[in-house]
Amino acid sequence: MNAHNSPSTSIDFEDLRRQAREVARRAYNPYSNVQVGAALLGANGQVFTGCNVENASYGATLCAERSALAHAVSSGEQSFLALAIWASPQSLLMPCGICRQMLFEFSPNLEIVIDSKGAGPKRVTLAELLPSGVKGSDLV
Ligand code: THU
């Protein structure tokens, strides 16, 4: 059964977690020294990874989740089944509010697994993290 037709139970979360951990090594993080990696599983079965990219103007920093999302959308995928996040701190680093809203735009029912160096895995859904996100249909 391929990822496109599968229930979440058949998603290879182990592989997704590994890809998130590996891409975290590419983090550009001279200000926080925090490494974050994200691996986003598209509905077509392809995985898109991203890491955090910091900036001297701190607010311009791009989180790993949005980095993975931009990678996916610019590769032609707009529907997602699951997301793995790995972060270098000891405690779990939950996705920030901006990333939750960005992911909600495409897949409000995304399955998420979160790991850090010293904690996890923790399974959550985007619906739990962002129960009332802004929808395009609310803008009319
Ligand atoms: N960070 C992420 O990449 N994802 C999140 O959801 C939370 C924070 C990054 C941004 C910054 O480079 C570092 O973690 C510390 O906040």
Side-chain angles (χ1 to χ4, degrees):
M1 200 185 283
N2 67 34
H4 187 71
N5 301 314
S6 305
S8 67
T9 47
S10 66
I11 291 172
D12 188 351
F13 281 101
E14 292 301 315
D15 181 61
L16 217 51
R17 291 169 64 206
R18 179 188 57 75
Q19 293 202 49
R21 194 173 66 242
E22 286 183 0
V23 73
R25 293 198 206 116
R26 299 198 178 133
Y28 176 73
N29 59 354
Y31 305 106
S32 75
N33 203 35
V34 170
Q35 292 179 322
V36 189
L40 193 53
L41 175 64
N44 65 3
Q46 204 177 335
V47 176
F48 304 91
T49 58
C51 62
N52 52 328
V53 183
E54 298 188 346
N55 192 271
S57 176
Y58 296 172
T61 290
L62 183 65
C63 292
E65 296 89 329
R66 277 175 289 141
S67 174
L69 186 62
H71 180 184
V73 173
S74 49
S75 300
E77 182 57 275
Q78 298 190 356
S79 179
F80 306 101
L81 300 174
L83 169 70
I85 304 163
W86 185 92
S88 59
Q90 288 302 317
S91 51
L92 285 178
L93 196 63
M94 299 300 286
C96 81
I98 296 172
C99 289
R100 294 178 196 198
Q101 176 62 37
M102 284 290 287
L103 293 163
F104 183 88
E105 176 81 13
F106 296 96
S107 298
N109 294 310
L110 195 64
E111 301 271 354
I112 302 175
V113 60
I114 305 171
D115 280 293
S116 75
K117 196 176 274 175
K122 180 183 174 65
R123 282 281 300 270
V124 289
T125 64
L126 186 57
E128 290 165 342
L129 296 182
L130 188 66
S132 302
V134 181
K135 299 192 289 291
S137 58
D138 294 337
L139 301 180
V140 292

